[in-house]
Amino acid sequence: MGYAQLVIGPAGSGKSTYCSSLYEHAVATRRTIHIVNLDPAAENFDYPVAMDIRELISLDDVMEELGLGPNGGLVYCMEHLEDNLDDWFTDELDNYLDDDYLVFDCPGQIELFSHVPVLRNFVEHLKSKNFNVCAVYLLDSQFMTDVTKFISGCMACLSAMVQLELPHVNILSKMDLVTNKKDVEEFLDPEPTFLLSELNQRMPPQFAKLNKSLIELVNNYSMVSFIPLDLRKERSIQYVLAQIDNCIQYGEDADVKVKDFDQDDDDDE
């Protein structure tokens, strides 16, 4: 059985930086993680690329040859990937063992994981190849300055969760850039009554029923829980990775390395 993270989120939310930090953490802890680029518009990487969609198709070529804009070209590229799941992608996937751990760095266009079925079909293909997959949704912590932006972020996240039908880990990225962490902490795991009160204070009275319905929707789907990620702190990365590993049951079938423990005991004596 293989394991996979599908790293999604709005453009600029820090997906590639997260993948790079995850790779560095894996190297430091002697763990093997393969990063896959699914962004046909990407140019520079801070991590070794195990698989690259640009070997199949690139956004620049599509825009030049078909005259499409950036968004239309990106959707075309991803649909082309979908058409080649049984060919190019399966051939690339065959290079990895059953217990390998893949991290897919996805494009940031929100329509790809909110209503266009490309990524959902991509996930189904991974599952058919015996991969346990977890969606990792990154949201910029700078977005959490007030309750209206928080609800907006939750709605986008919920849309991805419903579309992909995967175990979901929601991460507040760029916590190292937050100047006043108290402004963000109150939104990490807020009470529905607090959210509704704050929302009603900021919105006209005629939106009261809509506000109540939105809060109930977020609360019913347990979408008001985010994990803060500060890439300066190794423990923060370790905690986030542990939550994701738990979702995809990584390491549950691993054999206990008795020799490693024996070696540690010898060193202590």
Side-chain angles (χ1 to χ4, degrees):
M1 177 175 290
Y3 306 91
Q5 293 184 30
L6 194 71
V7 183
I8 59 177
S13 58
K15 296 183 295 297
S16 294
T17 303
Y18 164 80
C19 290
S20 176
S21 299
L22 200 63
Y23 179 80
E24 292 175 2
H25 173 78
V27 171
T29 56
R30 298 182 180 181
R31 176 173 168 177
T32 302
I33 288 179
H34 306 283
I35 313 292
V36 179
N37 173 48
L38 286 187
D39 188 352
E43 296 180 353
N44 302 312
F45 302 97
D46 293 328
Y47 53 78
V49 181
M51 281 186 265
D52 194 344
I53 189 177
R54 296 176 305 168
E55 296 177 0
L56 174 69
I57 190 170
S58 73
L59 180 60
D60 288 341
D61 291 342
V62 169
M63 292 173 62
E64 182 178 348
E65 294 177 14
L66 300 180
L68 297 174
N71 288 336
L74 184 60
V75 172
Y76 181 91
C77 290
M78 299 307 290
E79 289 177 343
H80 185 70
L81 170 64
E82 182 183 4
D83 292 337
N84 286 271
L85 289 178
D86 292 324
D87 300 317
W88 177 82
F89 182 65
T90 296
D91 291 341
E92 291 289 322
L93 211 56
D94 287 341
N95 295 322
Y96 298 92
L97 302 174
D98 290 339
D99 59 346
D100 274 335
Y101 197 116
L102 304 180
V103 178
F104 293 92
D105 188 0
C106 298
Q109 273 65 16
I110 194 169
E111 60 266 28
L112 293 175
F113 45 83
S114 63
H115 59 275
V116 176
V118 172
L119 283 183
R120 184 181 63 202
N121 295 334
F122 178 82
V123 165
E124 290 301 320
H125 185 80
L126 276 177
K127 289 180 179 178
S128 72
K129 298 299 180 181
N130 205 27
F131 272 81
N132 280 356
V133 189
C134 174
V136 180
Y137 191 99
L138 270 68
L139 190 65
D140 191 340
S141 57
Q142 312 291 313
F143 204 74
M144 301 299 189
T145 54
D146 60 59
V147 67
T148 54
K149 291 183 178 180
F150 173 77
I151 295 299
S152 176
C154 282
M155 289 295 102
C157 194
L158 177 58
S159 177
M161 186 181 79
V162 172
Q163 171 79 354
L164 297 175
E165 298 181 347
L166 284 175
H168 224 67
V169 174
N170 307 310
I171 296 174
L172 275 187
S173 61
K174 304 183 182 180
M175 284 296 291
D176 50 308
L177 301 180
V178 176
T179 54
N180 188 359
K181 288 186 169 51
K182 289 184 179 180
D183 293 340
V184 174
E185 287 174 355
E186 62 184 6
F187 291 111
L188 292 179
D189 194 16
E191 290 292 330
T193 51
F194 164 78
L195 291 177
L196 183 58
S197 174
E198 288 289 310
L199 202 55
N200 285 334
Q201 289 179 23
R202 295 175 181 270
M203 303 288 286
Q206 60 264 37
F207 290 101
K209 289 185 178 180
L210 176 62
N211 294 341
K212 185 174 183 295
S213 297
L214 284 173
I215 299 302
E216 288 177 351
L217 179 63
V218 171
N219 187 50
N220 290 341
Y221 276 87
S222 299
M223 282 297 302
V224 290
S225 179
F226 286 85
I227 301 174
L229 176 61
D230 187 339
L231 293 178
R232 299 173 303 177
K233 301 177 181 178
E234 196 69 18
R235 284 185 299 178
S236 181
I237 301 174
Q238 188 175 5
Y239 180 77
V240 166
L241 186 57
Q243 298 300 309
I244 298 168
D245 289 346
N246 183 58
C247 284
I248 57 178
Q249 299 175 315
Y250 175 78
E252 290 189 2
D253 297 328
D255 295 330
V256 177
K257 297 181 180 180
V258 178
K259 290 184 179 180
D260 290 350
F261 288 107
D262 291 342
Q263 182 66 42
D264 291 341
D265 291 340
D266 293 340
D267 292 341
D268 292 339
E269 291 179 357

